[in-house]
């Protein structure tokens, strides 16, 4: 049974159709990459998984259970976390409070577990520990991305959704972010990542889906997508 | 009035102003918290405050008539405050559930909930008038705080009542501040206020937080109703209008959406009002708030502690 199974998903913003019959699956332990140009429906796919956008039809199953009619908080409680596009930290709160909010779903867990989670974040991102009492809004873009990833990990998700984690980051940070994604995956978290930076994303992913106008137009292993001429032309910056 | 005269009554007026200001601050918190999570002005909040005053009045009358407890402030005040806060907290929950949430969940414009709030305000005033009658009610303040309970500090004449009112209001504000800064509920309230969608993604039940925010704000307003009842000794079913307007002004003055701003704005407005009544003209009592509101909106619409609001959060 796949960890996440989306079937025939349709979603609208008012009259605008954002998702047109999307189906995709994610197996336990995978890194799956979602590619596609601007406005192709990548963010909407993630929002629909989380119940922020309600599908008009189709289904989303997580661990076999239908979640497409559940409220967002209930979906999050089942083990799905999001690193949102543009990070969206709580800028008027400290880094510590942002991480604490990430653990909201686990707030009744023993304190020792929360401590272990903080230690895990600090070992992935030593910089975050130095910034704990700073307001999140005052951090640099790279630091904010570390906190956003840390915040999502605090919930101990089984599935981590990452929407353009390298957007707006300096090149050194981009490589670092992808190293971290691989490390998180090796620690046992399944990952769905949206990226504009297709070459880097495919280099760490197992499989990929390509969206266009809200439809899945290609799906294959990452290696095959990397090798495909069409993909190279459209998403890897090779000129037509 | 000579300068010496002014100096002589200034401290006295400051004491009154601070007392009144803490009560305004307590009401203002309700406006500002609800605005924080829902970006709407709950115009029925002044009437929730009024209901708090009526519940306190009714309980005080019952306690006085039944002789079950001695009429000591340490016994009477907690009973009245708890009674008023439970009642107004429940009304806050009902208001949110019946008057506002249905509108938001059906995708209301910004105007819809405001109109609903005005309707709720009219409903609450008339309900109280029908239940309790249209005549003014008198708080038996002096059965709990005898007129002789006053003392002089450095030439200022202070009553125990005034000290108790200001202390209770301050303690409640401190308690709220602790709740907002240190508890899971407080963190959730701030998260919802800052980014509702991300709050949900953290696993927070956003509508539950909104409901609890209404409940807390209303309960504090209800407590302020009891305190103001003791202070002015006379209450009526339309008192929520002027008090609500002043507290709303206090909230805007401090920076709408900012809890500390509401407390500060309340204090400033209370003091300004007391001084203006004494040194300019007592008839201006209820005009001062309007003047302050207009000045703030003209020169510093974000308020003292408020930040520049993004367009989508503006009133
Ligand atoms: N909040 C919104 N309101 C209306 N339309 C939206 C909204 N968000 C996205 N869209 C539209 O939905 C389509 C898909 O958007 P999105 O999922 O954000 O694409 P991507 O993440 O691939 O760039 C686009 O046409 C976009 O304009
Ligand atoms: Mg996007």
């Amino acid at each position: 049974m796949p960890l996440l199974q989306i079937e025939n998903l349709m979603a609208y913003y008012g009259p605008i159709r954002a998702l047109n019959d999307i189906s995709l699956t994610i197996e336990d332990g995978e890194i799956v990459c979602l590619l596609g140009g601007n406005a192709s429906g990548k963010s909407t796919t993630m929002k629909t998984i989380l119940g922020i956008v309600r599908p008009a039809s189709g289904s989303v199953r997580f661990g076999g259970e239908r979640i497409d009619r559940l409220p967002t908080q209930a979906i999050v409680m089942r083990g799905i976390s999001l690193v949102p596009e543009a990070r969206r930290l709580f800028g008027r709160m400290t880094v510590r409070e942002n991480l604490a909010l990430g653990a909201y779903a686990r707030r009744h867990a023993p304190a020792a577990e929360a401590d272990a989670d903080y230690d895990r974040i600090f070992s992935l991102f030593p910089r975050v520990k130095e910034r704990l009492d700073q307001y999140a809004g005052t951090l640099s873009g790279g630091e904010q991305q570390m906190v956003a990833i840390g915040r999502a990990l605090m919930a101990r998700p089984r599935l981590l959704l990452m929407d353009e984690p390298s957007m707006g980051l300096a090149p050194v940070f981009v490589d670092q972010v992808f190293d971290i994604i691989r490390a998180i995956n090796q620690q046992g978290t399944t990952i769905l990542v949206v990226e504009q930076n297709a070459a880097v994303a495919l280099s760490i992913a197992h499989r990929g889906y390509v969206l266009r106008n809200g439809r899945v137009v290609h799906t294959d292993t990452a290696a095959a997508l990397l090798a495909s001429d069409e993909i190279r032309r459209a998403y890897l910056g090779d000129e037509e | 009035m000579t300068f010496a005269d002014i100096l002589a009554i200034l401290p006295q007026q400051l004491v009154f102003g601070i007392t009144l200001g803490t009560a305004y601050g307590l009401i203002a918190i309700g406006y500002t918290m609800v605005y924080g999570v829902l970006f709407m002005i709950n115009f029925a909040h002044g009437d929730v405050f009024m209901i708090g005053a009526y519940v306190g009045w009714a309980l005080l009358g019952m306690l006085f008539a039944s002789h079950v407890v001695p009429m000591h402030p340490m016994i009477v005040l907690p009973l009245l405050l708890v009674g008023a806060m439970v009642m107004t907290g429940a009304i806050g929950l009902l208001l949110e559930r019946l008057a506002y949430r249905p509108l938001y969940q059906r995708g209301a414009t910004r105007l819809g909930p405001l109109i609903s709030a005005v309707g709720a305000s009219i409903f609450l005033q008339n309900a109280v008038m029908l239940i309790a009658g249209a005549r003014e009610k008198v708080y038996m303040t002096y059965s709990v705080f005898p007129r002789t309970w006053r003392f002089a500090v450095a030439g200022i004449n202070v009553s125990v009542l005034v000290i108790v009112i200001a202390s209770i209001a301050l303690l409640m504000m401190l308690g709220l501040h602790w709740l907002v800064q240190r508890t899971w509920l407080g963190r959730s309230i701030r998260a919802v206020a800052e980014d509702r969608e991300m709050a949900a993604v953290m696993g927070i039940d956003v509508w539950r937080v909104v409901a609890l925010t209404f409940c807390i704000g209303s309960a504090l307003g209800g407590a302020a109703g009891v305190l103001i009842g003791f202070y002015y000794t006379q209450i009526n079913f339309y008192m929520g209008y002027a008090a609500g307007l002043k507290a709303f002004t206090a909230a805007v003055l401090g920076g709408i959406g900012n809890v500390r701003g509401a407390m500060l704005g309340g204090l400033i407005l209370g003091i300004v009002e007391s001084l203006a009544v004494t040194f300019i003209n007592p008839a201006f009592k209820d005009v001062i708030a309007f003047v302050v509101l207009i000045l703030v909106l003209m020169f510093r619409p974000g308020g003292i502690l408020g930040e520049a609001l993004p367009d989508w959060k503006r009133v």
Side-chain angles (χ1 to χ4, degrees), chain A residues 37-44 85 163-164 167 194 196:
Chain A
N38 267 330
S40 58
K42 306 182 299 296
S43 297
T44 304
E85 195 168 359
D163 198 347
E164 308 213 19
M167 188 171 67
V194 163
Q196 295 278 347

Side-chain angles (χ1 to χ4, degrees), chain B residues 24 245-246 249 253 268-278 280-296:
Chain B
Y24 289 165
L245 186 89
K246 289 174 190 178
T249 302
L253 174 61
I268 294 175
L269 188 67
I271 292 170
V272 169
E273 187 180 301
S274 296
L275 296 186
V277 165
T278 317
I280 304 176
N281 187 337
F284 286 179
K285 186 171 177 303
D286 290 344
V287 179
I288 299 303
F290 280 109
V291 174
V292 170
L293 183 58
I294 290 167
L295 289 178
V296 174

Side-chain angles (χ1 to χ4, degrees), chain B:
Chain B
M1 199 184 277
T2 67
F3 187 62
D5 289 341
I6 292 177
L7 271 190
I9 46 179
L10 186 63
Q12 187 74 61
Q13 291 308 315
L14 277 178
V15 170
F16 290 140
I18 290 170
T19 308
L20 214 49
T22 52
Y24 289 165
L26 214 47
I27 311 171
I29 285 171
Y31 282 105
T32 231
M33 284 180 76
V34 163
Y35 186 82
V37 293
L38 224 44
F39 310 119
M40 74 160 289
I41 305 297
N42 174 17
F43 280 115
H45 185 57
D47 304 295
V48 172
F49 153 83
M50 174 272 293
I51 289 175
Y54 268 81
V55 173
W57 166 79
L59 286 176
L60 184 57
M62 278 160 53
L63 290 178
F64 187 77
S66 64
H67 301 287
V68 285
V69 292
M71 297 302 278
H72 190 279
M74 296 279 274
I75 297 166
V76 172
L77 266 182
L79 288 175
L80 264 56
L81 286 171
V82 168
M85 291 174 82
V86 167
M87 183 71 169
T88 50
I91 289 175
L93 285 176
L94 282 176
L95 272 181
E96 189 271 334
R97 199 54 180 254
L98 300 178
Y100 306 131
R101 192 187 300 197
L103 295 180
Y104 282 98
Q105 291 190 336
R106 283 169 208 170
T109 59
R110 305 204 56 164
L111 197 56
L114 283 185
I115 294 171
S116 192
V118 173
S121 165
I122 295 170
F123 173 82
L124 292 177
Q125 285 187 27
N126 283 278
V128 169
M129 186 189 72
L130 289 176
I131 294 167
R135 301 225 332 249
E136 301 244 319
K137 307 293 173 203
V138 178
Y139 256 71
M140 285 177 288
T141 302
Y142 302 112
S143 66
V144 184
F145 295 92
R147 285 174 202 270
T148 51
W149 285 15
R150 40 179 64 247
F151 51 92
V153 201
I156 316 171
N157 195 338
V158 190
S159 69
V160 170
L161 173 66
V162 159
I163 300 286
V164 168
I165 289 175
S167 315
I168 290 177
L170 281 173
L171 275 178
M172 286 188 171
M173 291 191 216
L174 286 177
L176 178 81
H177 194 259
W178 172 83
L179 180 135
V180 168
Q181 294 299 327
R182 294 270 176 265
T183 66
W184 276 112
L185 175 59
R187 247 180 234 148
S188 315
I189 291 174
R190 282 183 291 141
V192 170
E194 197 171 336
D195 187 337
R196 167 189 298 222
E197 199 171 282
M198 275 306 114
V201 167
M202 298 298 108
I204 293 168
D205 183 341
V206 170
W207 281 104
R208 184 169 162 271
V209 169
V210 169
L212 287 172
T213 304
F214 263 87
C215 180
I216 293 168
S218 300
L220 291 179
V226 174
L227 299 180
I228 289 286
F230 271 101
Y231 187 73
Y232 281 140
T233 69
Q234 290 210 335
I235 62 172
N236 54 53
F237 68 90
Y238 49 87
M239 70 192 281
Y241 177 72
L245 186 89
K246 289 174 190 178
F248 171 62
T249 302
V252 173
L253 174 61
I256 189 97
N258 185 315
V259 172
R260 264 176 286 194
M263 304 176 190
L264 184 66
L267 270 180
I268 294 175
L269 188 67
I271 292 170
V272 169
E273 187 180 301
S274 296
L275 296 186
V277 165
T278 317
F279 296 115
I280 304 176
N281 187 337
F284 286 179
K285 186 171 177 303
D286 290 344
V287 179
I288 299 303
F290 280 109
V291 174
V292 170
L293 183 58
I294 290 167
L295 289 178
V296 174
L297 290 177
M298 278 170 68
F299 296 108
R300 199 175 157 84
I304 300 171
L305 299 184
E307 60 217 290
L309 289 174
D311 279 339
W312 60 277
K313 280 193 188 175
R314 278 178 212 222
V315 190

Side-chain angles (χ1 to χ4, degrees), chain A residues 19-232:
Chain A
L19 300 185
N20 185 1
D21 200 24
I22 297 253
S23 297
L24 66 82
T25 57
I26 303 174
E27 301 293 334
D28 216 347
E30 277 190 313
I31 300 179
V32 172
C33 173
L34 216 48
L35 302 174
N38 267 330
S40 58
K42 306 182 299 296
S43 297
T44 304
T45 303
M46 293 195 156
K47 288 184 179 176
T48 311
I49 293 172
L50 279 169
I52 299 169
V53 171
R54 290 286 160 197
S57 62
S59 64
V60 181
R61 283 191 175 76
F62 183 63
E65 180 195 9
R66 270 196 74 163
I67 58 169
D68 48 273
R69 291 282 171 257
L70 294 178
T72 298
Q73 72 270 11
I75 296 172
V76 172
M77 294 291 174
R78 281 164 173 70
I80 306 182
S81 288
L82 172 72
V83 180
E85 195 168 359
R87 302 175 269 280
R88 283 172 77 173
L89 296 179
F90 298 101
R92 283 182 266 155
M93 298 192 207
T94 62
V95 168
R96 193 190 299 276
E97 284 181 314
N98 272 274
L99 294 177
L101 276 170
Y104 184 87
R106 298 174 41 75
R107 65 195 181 285
H108 301 304
E113 290 186 15
D115 288 343
D117 290 339
Y118 281 109
D119 287 341
R120 176 180 177 208
I121 311 296
F122 299 152
S123 70
L124 284 171
F125 307 111
R127 284 273 275 285
V128 168
K129 195 172 185 177
E130 300 160 21
R131 299 276 187 266
L132 277 178
D133 293 310
Q134 216 166 307
Y135 283 102
T138 66
L139 301 182
S140 74
E143 289 167 343
Q144 290 199 8
Q145 189 59 271
M146 295 176 189
V147 177
I149 296 174
R151 180 178 71 174
L153 288 178
M154 286 299 290
R156 295 197 182 178
R158 289 169 67 198
L159 174 63
L160 181 60
L161 310 177
M162 307 180 86
D163 198 347
E164 308 213 19
S166 75
M167 188 171 67
L169 299 188
V172 283
F173 278 125
V174 175
D175 289 341
Q176 205 181 334
V177 161
F178 280 92
D179 288 344
I180 294 290
I181 293 175
R182 208 194 319 240
I184 293 168
N185 178 248
Q186 277 159 7
Q187 290 167 12
T189 307
T190 307
I191 294 173
L192 175 65
V193 58
V194 163
E195 252 310 314
Q196 295 278 347
N197 201 334
V200 192
L202 287 173
S203 73
I204 63 157
H206 301 104
R207 289 188 303 119
Y209 288 83
V210 181
L211 301 190
R212 188 181 298 147
N213 294 330
R215 277 183 171 281
V216 175
V217 291
H218 280 290
T219 173
D220 212 328
T221 63
L225 286 173
L226 264 176
S228 139
D229 282 348
E230 196 182 338
I231 302 300
R232 295 194 72 84

